[in-house]
Amino acid sequence: MQDSDVRKLVDRLCDTKADVVYFPVRHHSPAAAMLVGQLIDSLKPAAVLIEGPSDYNEHFDELLLDHQLPIAIYSYFRSADTGSTENHRGVYYPFCEYSPEWAAINRGHQARSALRFIDLPWSSVADTDRSTHRYTDAKLRRGRYVRALCERLQVEDFDDLWDRIIESHQDITLADYLNRAHSLCLNIRQWEQNISASDRQREAFMTKQIDIAWREFQGPILVVTGGFHSGALAARSEGFACAGIDDTDVPEPVAIEAANRGIVLTTYSYDQLDSLTGYDAGMPNPGFYEHAWRQRQAGEVFNHQPLLLRLVEALRERNQILSTADLIAVETSAQALAALRGRQHVWRRDLIDAVTSSLIKDELEYGCESPFVDAVHAVLRGKRRGQLAEGARVPPLVSDIRQQLEMLELQLERSIRSVEFDLLEQDDLCKSRLLHQLQTLEIDGFRCDGGTDFLVRNDLERLWESWTLGWTPDFESSCIEASRYGTTLRNAVTARLLEEADAQQSDAASAAALLVKAAQSGVDTLSPALLDSLERMIAAEPRFDRASMALEHLLFLFCFDEAFGTTRLLRLTDIVHEAFSRSLWLLELLGQTALNDGTLLRGMKSILETYQRVGDVLEVNDSDFGSVLLRVQADSHKPPHVRGGAAGMLWTIGQTNADTVLGDLMYFADPDHLGDFLTGLFSLAREVAQRHPQLVRTIDDVLLQFGADQFQTALPSLRLAFTSFTPREKHHMLSTLFESLGLRNVEPLIQLAVDDSAVVEALAIEERLFEAVRHYGLEESYD
């Protein structure tokens, strides 16, 4: 495409007398919104064709209701392909007061023009286009031409470039706007050349819709699309040269086969619209552009002073007080920057730079925050949130949520309230399940503040929960957004849990924790697909600690759950068996490098408890189980605490005797390993160990053979080993030792005034002292 071709196409695009008039927009541009309204008033088009989802056309009248903007069209689907990891998706088409598309809709309605959206339904390009917002200008923001033009005009980025050539010119005419916008967008397209397949599919579809409208209506047709597409649409229709209109290698768009799909209106906010916070390619600082839009509407010269006053108030709310001198400095800097940049009035970048240069005294490092910069962006962002008018459709899921909240008397109110549930009471349990379902779908307005932690399970004496409920502006929109998961609450939660499980593909423990979360939402959410997914993850888990943690969660659900209804649930049997088998197999593979941080012994406890409690249900072969433990216990490549744990397991289940255990103990009777072996043994054979006098006597004999330095080496791990017992149990073991030594009626032990470490260190010093005395023969002289 040559420069002359660009010029010819621009001349055609700027012709407002043609049968088809192309109006290029930057989404959410106040200048574009103002001028498209003026064009519609003068042109009186027979039809206004707008870039937007054509599958919404049958509901177009909903957009003409008395909504409070910003709002958005939300298109969503749940793919029929259950094997897809992204089979629940949604996308937004946002509108605010100053969106050119919104201006075209309203002014076109006033002019009695036919109104249509002409873009492909989103589901037809969702496979190749991963954006979550359709009104974006990402294609305009990046590229060689934009970088070169920004450098030439000495502006920072595309936002400043657009402001420089279009937005800040309050007196820009329609002809000037069309010439500048079309020229800019066509040159960006010409320089980039690489137009995506989804863009070409969309442009081919929009061209067909334009042709259909041209044949259908008598009178001019106005086409309102993103400037990136306008030239391509005209070129396709009228034979001009343009980059990216060759469709020879572009397949026909195919809509995703969906089990559930929908397209509805939803509320939106300036937080979401702002490119600096939520909307990845929108106009930044929507509050600023709303201010500019309102002044344009009123025919007033742009005045930044109201924004500066709001900034002062915002800083005061943040306990940042501006002095009169500070305000004068900001105002002076802003005026000077505007003049330097050739503007007749202060604009967005001038105000931001003036605050930064005048109020920030220290160097602001990249990525660091400043209360002044945060405040100016908060003011320029604005706080507006939309609200849908009565009569707008809502997805079936929203109705189901409302109905269930009303049935259980959990409706959200403007005032915040707290509720507490006893999970052993059926009514409270039903309420808890509903709130957990809403939390799984990330519905706003519900927060669990406290109660029984069913993942940690350190206090199960009382099963309870505390929740805070309160209406938020995002309640409705979060319900609508969750509709991509299903039409009923149960189906949506099941689908969302399965999606979360897919995200945990390499972590069986996290997936099992998700199963606990699912149980809190009700056993009916434990779908076969979710259980199959968990079973596959456990079967592929390579880490013993994660597999055994999964087993621990599953054992709780299968054996001890009093609240959720999963105890001895038949559907869990196979998964518990898989987790048990996998954990046992990985235990045998552990090597010498395994750390003694408690996680391995905790996993071994889970294996032992599973065998003891549900071994019969799982049909575990006793001989095979014992053989694995014997191999682990005898493996010299395994660390002492693991071998001690295996010995303890064998002793507990009666597949070894005390003599064998004592023999194992003597094998580890050195200061570096004794404590670790006993840690494993006591952890897994706590009950039988404390009742065996000979074990305590043998430990005492071994310790008596240690020198003071050796005892000091062994002490930390010995301390850890004996933490398996309660104070009462340790007292009993000590009493047993005294009795085995024939020491009866022993006086109570003296409570030392120093800690154990000091005593052991003193003993070691004393022993070294006596050794030195013997070495130099000083004891004979003393005698």
Side-chain angles (χ1 to χ4, degrees), residues 154-170:
Q154 296 184 339
V155 296
E156 187 170 323
D157 53 26
F158 181 76
D159 295 324
D160 292 333
L161 175 64
W162 181 266
D163 283 350
R164 174 72 177 272
I165 64 178
I166 290 177
E167 207 65 53
S168 62
H169 298 273
Q170 280 197 295

Side-chain angles (χ1 to χ4, degrees), residues 96-114:
C96 62
E97 276 187 43
Y98 55 84
S99 296
E101 297 85 357
W102 188 255
I105 290 168
N106 282 279
R107 297 293 271 274
H109 177 64
Q110 294 171 15
R112 299 181 182 276
S113 305

Side-chain angles (χ1 to χ4, degrees), residues 394-512:
V394 296
L397 176 64
V398 180
S399 301
D400 191 23
I401 290 174
R402 289 173 178 168
Q403 181 180 357
Q404 294 203 39
L405 286 172
E406 183 177 355
M407 183 173 62
L408 295 179
E409 299 179 349
L410 292 173
Q411 306 97 315
L412 294 182
E413 302 168 353
R414 295 283 176 174
S415 59
I416 296 175
R417 60 181 171 133
S418 295
V419 293
E420 188 171 302
F421 302 134
D422 179 350
L423 299 182
L424 297 181
E425 293 291 333
Q426 187 60 35
D427 289 346
D428 283 1
L429 180 59
C430 290
K431 293 177 181 179
S432 169
R433 285 174 175 170
L434 174 59
L435 297 187
H436 277 288
Q437 290 174 1
L438 298 177
Q439 193 174 62
T440 297
L441 293 176
E442 299 179 341
I443 305 299
D444 270 22
F446 309 91
R447 185 179 71 248
C448 185
D449 297 318
T452 305
D453 189 332
F454 289 98
L455 290 178
V456 177
R457 298 184 289 274
N458 53 6
D459 183 9
L460 296 177
E461 290 186 13
R462 179 188 173 211
L463 306 184
W464 66 286
E465 285 177 347
S466 175
W467 291 78
T468 297
L469 283 59
W471 182 86
T472 75
D474 292 326
F475 168 70
E476 291 283 349
S477 59
S478 60
C479 290
I480 291 171
E481 186 172 348
S483 297
R484 67 186 186 273
Y485 291 108
T487 56
T488 67
L489 187 54
R490 174 183 171 181
N491 291 342
V493 171
T494 301
R496 173 61 181 147
L497 289 169
L498 186 57
E499 183 180 77
E500 288 190 51
D502 288 339
Q504 302 288 348
Q505 288 185 17
S506 60
D507 192 340
S510 297

Side-chain angles (χ1 to χ4, degrees), residues 61-75:
D61 287 347
E62 284 186 335
L63 288 170
L64 305 176
L65 298 175
D66 189 21
H67 305 293
Q68 178 179 319
L69 273 66
I71 61 172
I73 296 174
Y74 182 63
S75 178

Side-chain angles (χ1 to χ4, degrees), residues 53-62 115 117 263 393:
S54 56
D55 51 338
Y56 190 77
N57 283 332
E58 61 182 297
H59 309 295
F60 209 104
D61 287 347
E62 284 186 335
L115 300 172
F117 287 130
I263 187 165
R393 294 170 305 116

Side-chain angles (χ1 to χ4, degrees), residues 508-731:
S510 297
L514 180 64
L515 199 62
V516 177
K517 176 181 175 181
Q520 291 178 281
S521 298
V523 293
D524 52 355
T525 65
L526 303 181
S527 66
L530 178 64
L531 298 178
D532 289 345
S533 175
L534 175 57
E535 190 169 357
R536 287 194 301 271
M537 276 184 270
I538 292 172
E541 178 59 66
R543 295 160 296 180
F544 172 75
D545 59 328
R546 305 308 290 171
S548 60
M549 179 62 74
L551 177 62
E552 184 179 329
H553 290 318
L554 291 166
L555 185 64
F556 163 72
L557 291 175
F558 196 69
C559 292
F560 305 111
D561 165 34
E562 296 181 62
F564 308 137
T566 60
T567 304
R568 299 288 171 147
L569 188 66
L570 186 60
R571 284 181 288 167
L572 291 181
T573 305
D574 290 342
I575 303 179
V576 175
H577 189 278
E578 180 62 45
F580 175 80
S581 301
R582 185 69 178 179
S583 299
L584 193 61
W585 183 73
L586 291 170
L587 173 63
E588 194 170 0
L589 296 181
L590 287 176
Q592 183 66 46
T593 57
L595 298 176
N596 186 8
D597 61 356
T599 56
L600 299 182
L601 295 179
R602 179 176 176 176
M604 295 175 74
K605 285 182 183 179
S606 298
I607 294 174
L608 176 61
E609 192 169 7
T610 303
Y611 173 79
Q612 290 176 313
R613 295 188 178 277
V614 294
D616 55 336
V617 177
L618 304 181
E619 298 180 348
V620 176
N621 185 287
D622 296 340
S623 177
D624 291 344
F625 181 62
S627 296
V628 172
L629 297 180
L630 282 170
R631 290 195 295 271
V632 171
Q633 190 278 328
D635 188 350
S636 61
H637 294 95
K638 294 205 170 19
H641 64 286
V642 172
R643 296 177 67 180
M649 293 172 74
L650 288 164
W651 200 8
T652 298
I653 65 176
Q655 292 201 28
T656 192
N657 54 43
D659 291 339
T660 303
V661 172
L662 293 177
D664 296 335
L665 172 62
M666 295 308 298
Y667 181 81
F668 291 98
D670 64 85
D672 293 321
H673 297 144
L674 177 63
D676 291 340
F677 176 83
L678 290 176
T679 298
L681 181 69
F682 290 164
S683 294
L684 277 300
R686 176 170 164 268
E687 295 295 332
V688 65
Q690 65 179 298
R691 295 194 303 266
H692 199 279
Q694 188 57 40
L695 174 65
V696 181
R697 178 67 179 271
T698 303
I699 295 172
D700 183 59
D701 290 341
V702 171
L703 294 178
L704 288 175
Q705 300 301 314
F706 286 174
D709 287 337
Q710 292 175 312
F711 185 69
Q712 189 174 15
T713 300
L715 183 61
S717 58
L718 287 170
R719 276 207 197 100
L720 178 62
F722 280 91
T723 57
S724 296
F725 303 109
T726 65
R728 179 183 292 274
E729 290 168 342
K730 283 185 275 192
H731 181 270

